[in-house]
Tab-separated table of all heavy atoms in Angstrom:
chain	number	residue	atom	x	y	z
A	1	MET	N	27.756	4.990	19.800
A	1	MET	CA	26.348	4.927	19.480
A	1	MET	C	26.043	3.793	18.506
A	1	MET	O	24.987	3.210	18.583
A	1	MET	CB	25.918	6.261	18.886
A	1	MET	CG	25.967	7.471	19.857
A	1	MET	SD	25.159	7.194	21.420
A	1	MET	CE	23.475	7.174	21.035
A	2	LEU	N	26.953	3.497	17.604
A	2	LEU	CA	26.712	2.414	16.644
A	2	LEU	C	26.609	1.090	17.377
A	2	LEU	O	25.767	0.251	16.994
A	2	LEU	CB	27.808	2.374	15.581
A	2	LEU	CG	27.817	3.540	14.600
A	2	LEU	CD1	28.985	3.427	13.625
A	2	LEU	CD2	26.493	3.632	13.842
A	3	ALA	N	27.415	0.883	18.402
A	3	ALA	CA	27.308	-0.354	19.161
A	3	ALA	C	25.975	-0.451	19.861
A	3	ALA	O	25.361	-1.535	19.886
A	3	ALA	CB	28.462	-0.424	20.175
A	4	TRP	N	25.483	0.654	20.361
A	4	TRP	CA	24.143	0.662	21.036
A	4	TRP	C	23.059	0.327	20.001
A	4	TRP	O	22.159	-0.470	20.277
A	4	TRP	CB	23.888	2.015	21.680
A	4	TRP	CG	22.561	2.016	22.379
A	4	TRP	CD1	22.322	1.680	23.672
A	4	TRP	CD2	21.290	2.410	21.803
A	4	TRP	NE1	20.986	1.798	23.940
A	4	TRP	CE2	20.312	2.241	22.837
A	4	TRP	CE3	20.873	2.870	20.566
A	4	TRP	CZ2	18.982	2.534	22.632
A	4	TRP	CZ3	19.546	3.143	20.393
A	4	TRP	CH2	18.601	2.962	21.434
A	5	ILE	N	23.140	0.928	18.825
A	5	ILE	CA	22.137	0.653	17.785
A	5	ILE	C	22.184	-0.821	17.395
A	5	ILE	O	21.122	-1.470	17.254
A	5	ILE	CB	22.390	1.571	16.580
A	5	ILE	CG1	22.050	3.022	16.923
A	5	ILE	CG2	21.574	1.092	15.355
A	5	ILE	CD1	22.459	4.015	15.865
A	6	ASP	N	23.374	-1.353	17.217
A	6	ASP	CA	23.505	-2.789	16.864
A	6	ASP	C	22.899	-3.686	17.923
A	6	ASP	O	22.177	-4.641	17.605
A	6	ASP	CB	24.954	-3.179	16.621
A	6	ASP	CG	25.512	-2.541	15.314
A	6	ASP	OD1	24.700	-2.128	14.477
A	6	ASP	OD2	26.731	-2.493	15.215
A	7	SER	N	23.156	-3.393	19.204
A	7	SER	CA	22.597	-4.209	20.278
A	7	SER	C	21.085	-4.060	20.370
A	7	SER	O	20.373	-5.033	20.596
A	7	SER	CB	23.268	-3.911	21.607
A	7	SER	OG	22.898	-2.614	22.083
A	8	PHE	N	20.599	-2.843	20.142
A	8	PHE	CA	19.129	-2.639	20.130
A	8	PHE	C	18.473	-3.401	19.007
A	8	PHE	O	17.463	-4.072	19.159
A	8	PHE	CB	18.803	-1.142	20.025
A	8	PHE	CG	17.334	-0.839	20.001
A	8	PHE	CD1	16.620	-0.860	21.196
A	8	PHE	CD2	16.677	-0.576	18.842
A	8	PHE	CE1	15.246	-0.600	21.191
A	8	PHE	CE2	15.318	-0.299	18.820
A	8	PHE	CZ	14.619	-0.325	19.992
A	9	HIS	N	19.087	-3.336	17.844
A	9	HIS	CA	18.604	-4.061	16.691
A	9	HIS	C	18.552	-5.557	16.975
A	9	HIS	O	17.555	-6.247	16.680
A	9	HIS	CB	19.451	-3.764	15.465
A	9	HIS	CG	18.939	-4.358	14.206
A	9	HIS	ND1	19.429	-5.535	13.689
A	9	HIS	CD2	18.017	-3.932	13.309
A	9	HIS	CE1	18.802	-5.808	12.557
A	9	HIS	NE2	17.957	-4.871	12.304
A	10	ALA	N	19.601	-6.092	17.551
A	10	ALA	CA	19.661	-7.502	17.867
A	10	ALA	C	18.588	-7.888	18.887
A	10	ALA	O	17.947	-8.936	18.793
A	10	ALA	CB	21.025	-7.883	18.378
A	11	ALA	N	18.347	-7.034	19.870
A	11	ALA	CA	17.342	-7.287	20.903
A	11	ALA	C	15.926	-7.260	20.338
A	11	ALA	O	15.045	-7.987	20.799
A	11	ALA	CB	17.472	-6.277	22.023
A	12	MET	N	15.687	-6.483	19.288
A	12	MET	CA	14.367	-6.382	18.692
A	12	MET	C	14.076	-7.425	17.653
A	12	MET	O	12.921	-7.651	17.294
A	12	MET	CB	14.179	-4.968	18.069
A	12	MET	CG	14.129	-3.861	19.087
A	12	MET	SD	12.698	-3.954	20.177
A	12	MET	CE	13.428	-4.512	21.671
A	13	GLN	N	15.095	-8.111	17.135
A	13	GLN	CA	14.908	-9.053	16.071
A	13	GLN	C	13.860	-10.129	16.365
A	13	GLN	O	13.093	-10.465	15.469
A	13	GLN	CB	16.233	-9.718	15.691
A	13	GLN	CG	16.824	-9.060	14.485
A	13	GLN	CD	18.040	-9.747	13.977
A	13	GLN	OE1	18.854	-10.207	14.759
A	13	GLN	NE2	18.168	-9.843	12.685
A	14	PRO	N	13.718	-10.670	17.560
A	14	PRO	CA	12.691	-11.643	17.800
A	14	PRO	C	11.259	-11.084	17.593
A	14	PRO	O	10.344	-11.885	17.446
A	14	PRO	CB	12.871	-12.069	19.265
A	14	PRO	CG	14.288	-11.714	19.608
A	14	PRO	CD	14.590	-10.500	18.739
A	15	PHE	N	11.118	-9.805	17.599
A	15	PHE	CA	9.763	-9.192	17.510
A	15	PHE	C	9.465	-8.606	16.140
A	15	PHE	O	8.461	-7.933	15.959
A	15	PHE	CB	9.675	-8.102	18.585
A	15	PHE	CG	9.998	-8.597	19.946
A	15	PHE	CD1	11.222	-8.253	20.543
A	15	PHE	CD2	9.180	-9.438	20.670
A	15	PHE	CE1	11.572	-8.692	21.754
A	15	PHE	CE2	9.511	-9.913	21.914
A	15	PHE	CZ	10.720	-9.570	22.470
A	16	THR	N	10.380	-8.776	15.191
A	16	THR	CA	10.208	-8.224	13.854
A	16	THR	C	10.304	-9.334	12.805
A	16	THR	O	10.666	-10.468	13.111
A	16	THR	CB	11.254	-7.157	13.563
A	16	THR	OG1	12.554	-7.754	13.597
A	16	THR	CG2	11.212	-6.016	14.571
A	17	SER	N	9.991	-8.992	11.566
A	17	SER	CA	10.128	-9.940	10.456
A	17	SER	C	11.528	-9.788	9.871
A	17	SER	O	12.282	-8.904	10.197
A	17	SER	CB	9.071	-9.658	9.391
A	17	SER	OG	9.442	-8.531	8.644
A	18	SER	N	11.849	-10.682	8.943
A	18	SER	CA	13.167	-10.598	8.299
A	18	SER	C	13.132	-9.712	7.073
A	18	SER	O	14.102	-9.573	6.372
A	18	SER	CB	13.599	-12.035	7.851
A	18	SER	OG	12.639	-12.545	6.934
A	19	PHE	N	11.977	-9.034	6.831
A	19	PHE	CA	11.865	-8.146	5.706
A	19	PHE	C	12.174	-6.727	6.112
A	19	PHE	O	12.180	-6.415	7.309
A	19	PHE	CB	10.481	-8.249	5.101
A	19	PHE	CG	10.218	-9.628	4.539
A	19	PHE	CD1	9.477	-10.511	5.259
A	19	PHE	CD2	10.714	-9.982	3.294
A	19	PHE	CE1	9.227	-11.813	4.758
A	19	PHE	CE2	10.524	-11.259	2.779
A	19	PHE	CZ	9.764	-12.147	3.503
A	20	SER	N	12.402	-5.866	5.155
A	20	SER	CA	12.797	-4.516	5.417
A	20	SER	C	12.106	-3.597	4.429
A	20	SER	O	11.797	-4.009	3.286
A	20	SER	CB	14.323	-4.387	5.294
A	20	SER	OG	14.761	-3.087	5.558
A	21	TYR	N	11.960	-2.350	4.767
A	21	TYR	CA	11.379	-1.376	3.874
A	21	TYR	C	12.508	-0.858	2.955
A	21	TYR	O	13.503	-0.330	3.429
A	21	TYR	CB	10.736	-0.230	4.655
A	21	TYR	CG	10.001	0.777	3.843
A	21	TYR	CD1	8.887	0.425	3.119
A	21	TYR	CD2	10.468	2.084	3.784
A	21	TYR	CE1	8.218	1.321	2.325
A	21	TYR	CE2	9.760	3.041	2.998
A	21	TYR	CZ	8.658	2.653	2.306
A	21	TYR	OH	8.009	3.549	1.523
A	22	GLN	N	12.340	-1.027	1.660
A	22	GLN	CA	13.432	-0.733	0.726
A	22	GLN	C	13.870	0.737	0.680
A	22	GLN	O	14.940	1.036	0.211
A	22	GLN	CB	13.121	-1.243	-0.694
A	22	GLN	CG	11.971	-0.568	-1.369
A	22	GLN	CD	10.672	-1.318	-1.175
A	22	GLN	OE1	10.482	-1.988	-0.160
A	22	GLN	NE2	9.739	-1.140	-2.035
A	23	ASN	N	13.059	1.676	1.179
A	23	ASN	CA	13.492	3.038	1.155
A	23	ASN	C	14.363	3.410	2.368
A	23	ASN	O	14.769	4.558	2.475
A	23	ASN	CB	12.268	3.973	1.072
A	23	ASN	CG	11.661	3.939	-0.281
A	23	ASN	OD1	12.259	3.499	-1.252
A	23	ASN	ND2	10.448	4.421	-0.414
A	24	PHE	N	14.607	2.472	3.239
A	24	PHE	CA	15.499	2.721	4.364
A	24	PHE	C	16.681	1.738	4.209
A	24	PHE	O	16.705	0.698	4.824
A	24	PHE	CB	14.773	2.486	5.697
A	24	PHE	CG	13.734	3.532	5.965
A	24	PHE	CD1	12.397	3.299	5.661
A	24	PHE	CD2	14.088	4.774	6.468
A	24	PHE	CE1	11.430	4.262	5.860
A	24	PHE	CE2	13.123	5.742	6.689
A	24	PHE	CZ	11.807	5.506	6.396
A	25	ILE	N	17.632	2.111	3.363
A	25	ILE	CA	18.740	1.273	3.034
A	25	ILE	C	19.609	1.077	4.276
A	25	ILE	O	19.931	2.051	4.995
A	25	ILE	CB	19.556	1.872	1.875
A	25	ILE	CG1	18.659	2.061	0.643
A	25	ILE	CG2	20.775	1.037	1.588
A	25	ILE	CD1	17.967	0.801	0.194
A	26	ASP	N	19.964	-0.163	4.508
A	26	ASP	CA	20.776	-0.528	5.693
A	26	ASP	C	21.987	-1.335	5.170
A	26	ASP	O	21.831	-2.464	4.731
A	26	ASP	CB	19.930	-1.351	6.645
A	26	ASP	CG	20.692	-1.835	7.866
A	26	ASP	OD1	21.878	-1.534	8.002
A	26	ASP	OD2	20.060	-2.491	8.722
A	27	ILE	N	23.169	-0.750	5.258
A	27	ILE	CA	24.344	-1.441	4.733
A	27	ILE	C	24.654	-2.712	5.498
A	27	ILE	O	25.366	-3.589	4.950
A	27	ILE	CB	25.566	-0.520	4.703
A	27	ILE	CG1	25.946	-0.005	6.084
A	27	ILE	CG2	25.368	0.636	3.756
A	27	ILE	CD1	27.265	0.713	6.174
A	28	SER	N	24.125	-2.892	6.683
A	28	SER	CA	24.388	-4.102	7.441
A	28	SER	C	23.339	-5.210	7.159
A	28	SER	O	23.501	-6.314	7.667
A	28	SER	CB	24.452	-3.813	8.913
A	28	SER	OG	23.184	-3.468	9.404
A	29	GLN	N	22.373	-4.879	6.343
A	29	GLN	CA	21.308	-5.859	6.021
A	29	GLN	C	21.858	-7.010	5.228
A	29	GLN	O	22.463	-6.818	4.168
A	29	GLN	CB	20.203	-5.162	5.199
A	29	GLN	CG	19.094	-6.050	4.742
A	29	GLN	CD	18.167	-6.435	5.853
A	29	GLN	OE1	17.774	-5.589	6.637
A	29	GLN	NE2	17.822	-7.692	5.945
A	30	THR	N	21.729	-8.228	5.751
A	30	THR	CA	22.152	-9.396	4.999
A	30	THR	C	21.039	-9.839	4.104
A	30	THR	O	19.859	-9.656	4.403
A	30	THR	CB	22.559	-10.544	5.923
A	30	THR	OG1	21.474	-10.877	6.773
A	30	THR	CG2	23.763	-10.134	6.800
A	31	ASP	N	21.374	-10.375	2.952
A	31	ASP	CA	20.402	-10.847	1.935
A	31	ASP	C	19.371	-9.719	1.670
A	31	ASP	O	18.174	-9.928	1.725
A	31	ASP	CB	19.693	-12.122	2.401
A	31	ASP	CG	18.936	-12.803	1.276
A	31	ASP	OD1	19.195	-12.506	0.106
A	31	ASP	OD2	18.068	-13.646	1.586
A	32	TYR	N	19.902	-8.549	1.413
A	32	TYR	CA	19.047	-7.370	1.245
A	32	TYR	C	18.047	-7.500	0.096
A	32	TYR	O	16.938	-6.973	0.215
A	32	TYR	CB	19.875	-6.112	1.091
A	32	TYR	CG	20.728	-6.084	-0.146
A	32	TYR	CD1	20.242	-5.559	-1.343
A	32	TYR	CD2	22.039	-6.561	-0.158
A	32	TYR	CE1	21.002	-5.535	-2.493
A	32	TYR	CE2	22.825	-6.533	-1.295
A	32	TYR	CZ	22.303	-6.001	-2.460
A	32	TYR	OH	23.070	-5.992	-3.584
A	33	LEU	N	18.377	-8.207	-0.970
A	33	LEU	CA	17.428	-8.310	-2.090
A	33	LEU	C	16.146	-9.027	-1.632
A	33	LEU	O	15.042	-8.610	-1.987
A	33	LEU	CB	18.064	-9.010	-3.255
A	33	LEU	CG	19.155	-8.213	-4.006
A	33	LEU	CD1	19.808	-9.055	-5.045
A	33	LEU	CD2	18.560	-6.952	-4.603
A	34	THR	N	16.283	-10.103	-0.894
A	34	THR	CA	15.111	-10.820	-0.398
A	34	THR	C	14.393	-9.995	0.658
A	34	THR	O	13.183	-9.908	0.685
A	34	THR	CB	15.542	-12.173	0.180
A	34	THR	OG1	16.152	-12.940	-0.844
A	34	THR	CG2	14.348	-12.934	0.730
A	35	ALA	N	15.163	-9.364	1.528
A	35	ALA	CA	14.563	-8.537	2.592
A	35	ALA	C	13.756	-7.380	2.031
A	35	ALA	O	12.687	-7.040	2.515
A	35	ALA	CB	15.637	-8.038	3.539
A	36	TYR	N	14.284	-6.740	0.977
A	36	TYR	CA	13.595	-5.539	0.403
A	36	TYR	C	12.478	-5.936	-0.574
A	36	TYR	O	11.442	-5.306	-0.570
A	36	TYR	CB	14.604	-4.679	-0.329
A	36	TYR	CG	15.680	-4.046	0.507
A	36	TYR	CD1	16.876	-3.629	-0.057
A	36	TYR	CD2	15.556	-3.896	1.859
A	36	TYR	CE1	17.885	-3.040	0.673
A	36	TYR	CE2	16.535	-3.323	2.617
A	36	TYR	CZ	17.702	-2.896	2.026
A	36	TYR	OH	18.687	-2.332	2.785
A	37	TYR	N	12.715	-6.931	-1.381
A	37	TYR	CA	11.790	-7.181	-2.490
A	37	TYR	C	11.025	-8.511	-2.435
A	37	TYR	O	10.068	-8.715	-3.132
A	37	TYR	CB	12.554	-7.116	-3.821
A	37	TYR	CG	13.300	-5.786	-3.928
A	37	TYR	CD1	14.702	-5.773	-3.904
A	37	TYR	CD2	12.645	-4.581	-4.022
A	37	TYR	CE1	15.398	-4.566	-3.974
A	37	TYR	CE2	13.335	-3.361	-4.076
A	37	TYR	CZ	14.702	-3.379	-4.050
A	37	TYR	OH	15.381	-2.178	-4.134
A	38	GLY	N	11.476	-9.434	-1.595
A	38	GLY	CA	10.794	-10.711	-1.394
A	38	GLY	C	10.536	-11.447	-2.719
A	38	GLY	O	11.378	-11.477	-3.610
A	39	SER	N	9.325	-11.980	-2.854
A	39	SER	CA	8.988	-12.752	-4.026
A	39	SER	C	8.829	-11.903	-5.321
A	39	SER	O	8.710	-12.448	-6.399
A	39	SER	CB	7.665	-13.528	-3.800
A	39	SER	OG	6.594	-12.626	-3.552
A	40	ASN	N	8.861	-10.594	-5.163
A	40	ASN	CA	8.774	-9.703	-6.336
A	40	ASN	C	10.106	-9.560	-7.044
A	40	ASN	O	10.160	-9.025	-8.178
A	40	ASN	CB	8.310	-8.323	-5.911
A	40	ASN	CG	6.918	-8.349	-5.370
A	40	ASN	OD1	6.039	-8.955	-5.943
A	40	ASN	ND2	6.696	-7.681	-4.221
A	41	LEU	N	11.212	-10.025	-6.448
A	41	LEU	CA	12.546	-9.783	-7.015
A	41	LEU	C	12.704	-10.305	-8.447
A	41	LEU	O	13.186	-9.546	-9.301
A	41	LEU	CB	13.611	-10.384	-6.110
A	41	LEU	CG	15.033	-10.146	-6.605
A	41	LEU	CD1	15.360	-8.677	-6.693
A	41	LEU	CD2	16.031	-10.872	-5.667
A	42	PRO	N	12.311	-11.565	-8.786
A	42	PRO	CA	12.523	-12.024	-10.153
A	42	PRO	C	11.850	-11.109	-11.198
A	42	PRO	O	12.461	-10.798	-12.231
A	42	PRO	CB	11.924	-13.421	-10.163
A	42	PRO	CG	12.014	-13.873	-8.742
A	42	PRO	CD	11.783	-12.627	-7.904
A	43	ARG	N	10.670	-10.672	-10.935
A	43	ARG	CA	9.953	-9.782	-11.880
A	43	ARG	C	10.633	-8.419	-11.946
A	43	ARG	O	10.795	-7.836	-13.023
A	43	ARG	CB	8.487	-9.645	-11.463
A	43	ARG	CG	7.720	-8.675	-12.333
A	43	ARG	CD	7.505	-9.272	-13.739
A	43	ARG	NE	6.765	-8.289	-14.534
A	43	ARG	CZ	7.146	-7.843	-15.713
A	43	ARG	NH1	8.241	-8.287	-16.277
A	43	ARG	NH2	6.408	-6.963	-16.344
A	44	LEU	N	11.085	-7.892	-10.826
A	44	LEU	CA	11.793	-6.626	-10.810
A	44	LEU	C	13.067	-6.677	-11.586
A	44	LEU	O	13.469	-5.717	-12.268
A	44	LEU	CB	12.035	-6.157	-9.353
A	44	LEU	CG	10.753	-5.759	-8.615
A	44	LEU	CD1	11.069	-5.590	-7.136
A	44	LEU	CD2	10.131	-4.506	-9.163
A	45	VAL	N	13.788	-7.817	-11.509
A	45	VAL	CA	15.011	-7.992	-12.270
A	45	VAL	C	14.697	-7.976	-13.751
A	45	VAL	O	15.432	-7.377	-14.561
A	45	VAL	CB	15.756	-9.274	-11.824
A	45	VAL	CG1	16.863	-9.620	-12.798
A	45	VAL	CG2	16.263	-9.137	-10.415
A	46	GLN	N	13.601	-8.616	-14.173
A	46	GLN	CA	13.185	-8.574	-15.577
A	46	GLN	C	12.934	-7.176	-16.042
A	46	GLN	O	13.326	-6.765	-17.135
A	46	GLN	CB	11.957	-9.423	-15.780
A	46	GLN	CG	12.187	-10.919	-15.693
A	46	GLN	CD	10.885	-11.689	-15.868
A	46	GLN	OE1	9.798	-11.175	-15.763
A	46	GLN	NE2	11.036	-12.990	-16.190
A	47	VAL	N	12.204	-6.416	-15.237
A	47	VAL	CA	11.878	-5.032	-15.590
A	47	VAL	C	13.171	-4.211	-15.692
A	47	VAL	O	13.346	-3.417	-16.620
A	47	VAL	CB	10.900	-4.421	-14.573
A	47	VAL	CG1	10.738	-2.914	-14.783
A	47	VAL	CG2	9.542	-5.116	-14.663
A	48	LYS	N	14.040	-4.391	-14.709
A	48	LYS	CA	15.330	-3.666	-14.701
A	48	LYS	C	16.115	-3.971	-15.951
A	48	LYS	O	16.651	-3.093	-16.589
A	48	LYS	CB	16.108	-4.040	-13.450
A	48	LYS	CG	17.516	-3.523	-13.359
A	48	LYS	CD	17.566	-2.057	-12.934
A	48	LYS	CE	19.016	-1.649	-12.709
A	48	LYS	NZ	19.090	-0.406	-12.044
A	49	ALA	N	16.211	-5.245	-16.333
A	49	ALA	CA	16.944	-5.648	-17.510
A	49	ALA	C	16.356	-5.049	-18.778
A	49	ALA	O	17.089	-4.711	-19.692
A	49	ALA	CB	16.992	-7.169	-17.601
A	50	LYS	N	15.060	-4.941	-18.816
A	50	LYS	CA	14.385	-4.395	-20.004
A	50	LYS	C	14.574	-2.882	-20.160
A	50	LYS	O	14.871	-2.339	-21.198
A	50	LYS	CB	12.902	-4.720	-19.972
A	50	LYS	CG	12.133	-4.232	-21.162
A	50	LYS	CD	10.673	-4.643	-21.118
A	50	LYS	CE	9.917	-4.108	-22.322
A	50	LYS	NZ	8.524	-4.556	-22.341
A	51	TYR	N	14.382	-2.172	-19.040
A	51	TYR	CA	14.363	-0.705	-19.103
A	51	TYR	C	15.645	-0.028	-18.707
A	51	TYR	O	15.850	1.141	-18.972
A	51	TYR	CB	13.195	-0.158	-18.237
A	51	TYR	CG	11.878	-0.505	-18.804
A	51	TYR	CD1	11.096	-1.518	-18.291
A	51	TYR	CD2	11.356	0.188	-19.934
A	51	TYR	CE1	9.876	-1.870	-18.824
A	51	TYR	CE2	10.154	-0.148	-20.474
A	51	TYR	CZ	9.399	-1.164	-19.914
A	51	TYR	OH	8.169	-1.512	-20.480
A	52	ASP	N	16.551	-0.756	-18.054
A	52	ASP	CA	17.845	-0.181	-17.657
A	52	ASP	C	18.960	-1.228	-17.843
A	52	ASP	O	19.655	-1.559	-16.922
A	52	ASP	CB	17.786	0.308	-16.238
A	52	ASP	CG	19.047	1.040	-15.778
A	52	ASP	OD1	19.806	1.533	-16.666
A	52	ASP	OD2	19.269	1.130	-14.591
A	53	PRO	N	19.114	-1.723	-19.077
A	53	PRO	CA	20.126	-2.784	-19.298
A	53	PRO	C	21.529	-2.372	-18.998
A	53	PRO	O	22.407	-3.180	-18.671
A	53	PRO	CB	19.935	-3.157	-20.748
A	53	PRO	CG	19.338	-1.974	-21.406
A	53	PRO	CD	18.454	-1.344	-20.299
A	54	GLY	N	21.837	-1.066	-19.096
A	54	GLY	CA	23.152	-0.558	-18.791
A	54	GLY	C	23.375	-0.266	-17.321
A	54	GLY	O	24.456	0.180	-16.927
A	55	ASN	N	22.348	-0.513	-16.500
A	55	ASN	CA	22.423	-0.308	-15.058
A	55	ASN	C	22.834	1.139	-14.690
A	55	ASN	O	23.589	1.366	-13.756
A	55	ASN	CB	23.365	-1.315	-14.420
A	55	ASN	CG	23.100	-1.548	-12.958
A	55	ASN	OD1	21.975	-1.324	-12.469
A	55	ASN	ND2	24.080	-1.990	-12.224
A	56	LEU	N	22.247	2.069	-15.402
A	56	LEU	CA	22.522	3.505	-15.143
A	56	LEU	C	21.992	3.912	-13.752
A	56	LEU	O	22.668	4.609	-13.002
A	56	LEU	CB	21.893	4.391	-16.214
A	56	LEU	CG	22.020	5.874	-16.012
A	56	LEU	CD1	23.484	6.309	-16.110
A	56	LEU	CD2	21.144	6.647	-17.027
A	57	PHE	N	20.788	3.461	-13.424
A	57	PHE	CA	20.162	3.791	-12.160
A	57	PHE	C	20.521	2.750	-11.140
A	57	PHE	O	19.875	1.704	-11.018
A	57	PHE	CB	18.647	3.931	-12.350
A	57	PHE	CG	18.256	5.005	-13.311
A	57	PHE	CD1	17.889	4.654	-14.623
A	57	PHE	CD2	18.350	6.348	-12.956
A	57	PHE	CE1	17.589	5.653	-15.553
A	57	PHE	CE2	18.028	7.323	-13.892
A	57	PHE	CZ	17.624	6.971	-15.177
A	58	ARG	N	21.552	2.998	-10.390
A	58	ARG	CA	22.056	1.985	-9.432
A	58	ARG	C	22.613	2.667	-8.205
A	58	ARG	O	22.915	3.837	-8.191
A	58	ARG	CB	23.146	1.144	-10.093
A	58	ARG	CG	24.397	1.917	-10.393
A	58	ARG	CD	25.406	1.055	-11.123
A	58	ARG	NE	26.603	1.786	-11.410
A	58	ARG	CZ	26.807	2.574	-12.474
A	58	ARG	NH1	25.804	2.809	-13.286
A	58	ARG	NH2	27.951	3.182	-12.655
A	59	TYR	N	22.680	1.863	-7.159
A	59	TYR	CA	23.342	2.221	-5.895
A	59	TYR	C	23.764	0.882	-5.291
A	59	TYR	O	23.434	-0.177	-5.801
A	59	TYR	CB	22.381	3.015	-4.979
A	59	TYR	CG	21.052	2.374	-4.705
A	59	TYR	CD1	20.892	1.558	-3.563
A	59	TYR	CD2	20.000	2.500	-5.574
A	59	TYR	CE1	19.681	0.932	-3.308
A	59	TYR	CE2	18.759	1.900	-5.309
A	59	TYR	CZ	18.632	1.135	-4.183
A	59	TYR	OH	17.450	0.527	-3.905
A	60	PRO	N	24.509	0.862	-4.216
A	60	PRO	CA	25.104	-0.373	-3.732
A	60	PRO	C	24.110	-1.518	-3.467
A	60	PRO	O	24.442	-2.668	-3.595
A	60	PRO	CB	25.816	0.040	-2.428
A	60	PRO	CG	26.217	1.450	-2.677
A	60	PRO	CD	25.050	2.034	-3.468
A	61	GLN	N	22.841	-1.223	-3.154
A	61	GLN	CA	21.856	-2.281	-2.885
A	61	GLN	C	20.680	-2.228	-3.834
A	61	GLN	O	19.612	-2.644	-3.504
A	61	GLN	CB	21.395	-2.209	-1.420
A	61	GLN	CG	22.467	-2.547	-0.424
A	61	GLN	CD	21.955	-2.555	1.007
A	61	GLN	OE1	20.938	-1.937	1.326
A	61	GLN	NE2	22.652	-3.219	1.881
A	62	SER	N	20.950	-1.746	-5.062
A	62	SER	CA	19.843	-1.669	-6.016
A	62	SER	C	19.536	-3.006	-6.644
A	62	SER	O	20.292	-3.963	-6.488
A	62	SER	CB	20.158	-0.622	-7.099
A	62	SER	OG	21.282	-1.066	-7.856
A	63	ILE	N	18.423	-3.043	-7.355
A	63	ILE	CA	18.028	-4.241	-8.094
A	63	ILE	C	19.043	-4.474	-9.179
A	63	ILE	O	19.356	-3.581	-9.977
A	63	ILE	CB	16.611	-4.082	-8.671
A	63	ILE	CG1	15.584	-3.893	-7.554
A	63	ILE	CG2	16.257	-5.245	-9.589
A	63	ILE	CD1	14.226	-3.420	-8.030
A	64	PRO	N	19.594	-5.682	-9.284
A	64	PRO	CA	20.577	-5.969	-10.296
A	64	PRO	C	19.894	-6.192	-11.676
A	64	PRO	O	18.716	-6.439	-11.765
A	64	PRO	CB	21.238	-7.254	-9.825
A	64	PRO	CG	20.167	-7.924	-9.026
A	64	PRO	CD	19.393	-6.836	-8.375
A	65	VAL	N	20.700	-6.103	-12.732
A	65	VAL	CA	20.203	-6.367	-14.084
A	65	VAL	C	19.949	-7.842	-14.282
A	65	VAL	O	19.095	-8.242	-15.041
A	65	VAL	CB	21.185	-5.791	-15.132
A	65	VAL	CG1	20.734	-6.116	-16.520
A	65	VAL	CG2	21.343	-4.312	-14.959
A	66	PHE	N	20.678	-8.708	-13.597
A	66	PHE	CA	20.459	-10.136	-13.626
A	66	PHE	C	20.856	-10.730	-12.289
A	66	PHE	O	21.586	-10.147	-11.522
A	66	PHE	CB	21.259	-10.811	-14.764
A	66	PHE	CG	22.764	-10.546	-14.688
A	66	PHE	CD1	23.552	-11.430	-13.947
A	66	PHE	CD2	23.353	-9.487	-15.305
A	66	PHE	CE1	24.930	-11.176	-13.845
A	66	PHE	CE2	24.711	-9.261	-15.218
A	66	PHE	CZ	25.490	-10.082	-14.497
A	67	LEU	N	20.271	-11.924	-11.999
A	67	LEU	CA	20.602	-12.598	-10.737
A	67	LEU	C	21.697	-13.614	-10.923
A	67	LEU	O	21.900	-14.173	-11.936
A	67	LEU	CB	19.351	-13.290	-10.169
A	67	LEU	CG	18.290	-12.359	-9.665
A	67	LEU	CD1	17.077	-13.156	-9.214
A	67	LEU	CD2	18.816	-11.545	-8.458
């Protein structure tokens, strides 16, 4: 089934954007920070560094404390 999903995803890529909805985490997403947050990323990193400098609230594709 994973092979079918991958082939379907590849077939649909010409009809979609390179951005992704951040609440649907995809471990195969390349450049996920740009795909999820786009031009908002630098400001989100500033907010993260200010309010969560210890990176307590994190997951594998979360906003980093610094770029």
Side-chain angles (χ1 to χ4, degrees):
M1 294 311 288
L2 291 177
W4 181 88
I5 290 170
D6 289 341
S7 68
F8 180 78
H9 185 263
M12 293 295 106
Q13 262 187 319
F15 308 105
T16 62
S17 75
S18 61
F19 296 100
S20 180
Y21 185 64
Q22 65 267 27
N23 287 344
F24 291 97
I25 302 305
D26 178 358
I27 60 171
S28 68
Q29 177 74 45
T30 58
D31 193 17
Y32 64 89
L33 290 173
T34 301
Y36 297 158
Y37 308 111
S39 63
N40 296 313
L41 181 61
R43 177 70 180 127
L44 291 169
V45 169
Q46 288 178 342
V47 170
K48 173 80 172 191
K50 181 177 181 178
Y51 292 102
D52 186 20
N55 203 24
L56 177 66
F57 300 102
R58 68 184 179 277
Y59 55 93
Q61 293 184 338
S62 65
I63 296 168
V65 177
F66 58 88
L67 290 176

